[in-house]
Amino acid sequence: YLTPGPLWWALQHDSAEKLDTKNISHPDLATGSEHPRLFSNNVLLLIDEIDKADRSVPNSLLEALDDYSFTVPYTGETITSPSVEDRPLVIITTNDEQQLPPAFIRRCLVLDIILSPEETEFVNTLTSRGKALFKDTDCFDPDTTCQKVAEMLYKKRIEVQASGSPYLPGQAEYLDHLAAIEAMRLFDQKTSEQDAIDQLADLAYGKNKSR
């Protein structure tokens, strides 16, 4: 809050730009840049895995989430969005590794993202996400490969669950599996899609101790 960080830039980029702090949070404003920050279509601010932050962080965000503003310590300056239309969309993720304060939760619209235990819905959900992320790949057919990998993952989850292991492979392993298939096929196109799926399955699920 002393020098413009992501929250300051998201709420009031004009004052953040005037201070011209070249810290790690400074966005790329160069018009000749490949991805300049123009702020013309508003801002999405992602606060990822807040449950891993210090316990004081959620409480320090109460004012910002409540009023879309905060007060700069020592100077007393109020940083706020110019209008309701200019307010950023704030998305906060958590893995529930620690309980968040009730006052913080009350300021959020909570969406629990879970994988369905029902096979058809599980496979369809992951397939749609895989196809969205790998729609432009030339290394495999997204329609067939994304579904095959989703079906394989569902069977693996059933096996792991039956074994009593708490390490169930999920969406992260699914996307890792697809990314590895893409990399293998890019490196060696002689390897068929099915061979790549089969050869990389253990590696994709191994990080979760669920081989």
Side-chain angles (χ1 to χ4, degrees):
Y1 294 144
L2 294 175
T3 59
L7 182 60
W8 190 324
W9 278 98
L11 290 173
Q12 197 181 97
H13 65 272
D14 288 339
S15 64
E17 190 172 356
K18 288 177 183 177
L19 290 174
D20 197 29
T21 53
K22 300 295 183 180
N23 61 22
I24 194 171
S25 302
H26 191 282
D28 191 348
L29 302 174
T31 55
S33 167
E34 184 178 355
H35 301 291
R37 298 291 182 88
L38 302 179
F39 297 95
S40 57
N41 294 316
N42 293 345
V43 176
L44 186 150
L45 175 65
L46 171 65
I47 304 176
D48 197 24
E49 297 187 349
I50 195 170
D51 54 316
K52 291 182 173 61
D54 186 85
R55 290 287 296 173
S56 64
V57 171
N59 286 325
S60 71
L61 289 170
L62 295 181
E63 178 187 2
L65 294 178
D66 218 15
D67 303 324
Y68 285 90
S69 68
F70 66 87
T71 303
V72 181
Y74 307 112
T75 70
E77 180 183 6
T78 299
I79 303 302
T80 186
S81 296
S83 67
V84 173
E85 290 77 13
D86 292 318
R87 288 178 175 178
L89 172 62
V90 182
I91 295 180
I92 304 170
T93 71
T94 176
N95 292 321
D96 290 331
E97 292 189 6
Q98 65 171 322
Q99 188 173 1
L100 297 172
F104 177 85
I105 297 295
R106 283 198 301 270
R107 288 163 171 80
C108 302
L109 177 64
V110 179
L111 174 64
D112 291 320
I113 301 177
I114 59 174
L115 292 172
S116 172
E118 196 276 317
E119 182 175 5
T120 300
E121 185 176 348
F122 177 95
V123 171
N124 289 343
T125 298
L126 287 188
T127 299
S128 65
R129 292 175 186 174
K131 287 166 64 175
L133 288 172
F134 292 92
K135 64 179 183 298
D136 296 324
T137 187
D138 295 324
C139 299
F140 59 78
D141 179 5
D143 289 329
T144 58
T145 300
C146 290
Q147 181 171 341
K148 286 180 181 178
V149 173
E151 291 170 348
M152 180 178 285
L153 176 60
Y154 183 82
K155 293 176 181 177
K156 176 58 69 174
R157 282 172 65 91
I158 296 299
E159 293 175 10
V160 173
Q161 204 164 22
S163 72
S165 172
Y167 300 103
L168 286 181
Q171 179 172 279
E173 288 71 33
Y174 171 74
L175 297 178
D176 285 346
H177 197 173
L178 291 175
I181 293 167
E182 182 180 47
M184 175 180 274
R185 293 271 294 155
L186 185 65
F187 179 75
D188 180 11
Q189 294 186 355
K190 292 181 180 179
T191 302
S192 69
E193 291 182 24
Q194 189 59 56
D195 285 344
I197 292 173
D198 295 336
Q199 292 177 31
L200 294 168
D202 278 352
L203 291 175
Y205 307 140
K207 72 174 187 179
N208 247 10
K209 304 177 183 179
S210 55
R211 290 189 184 183

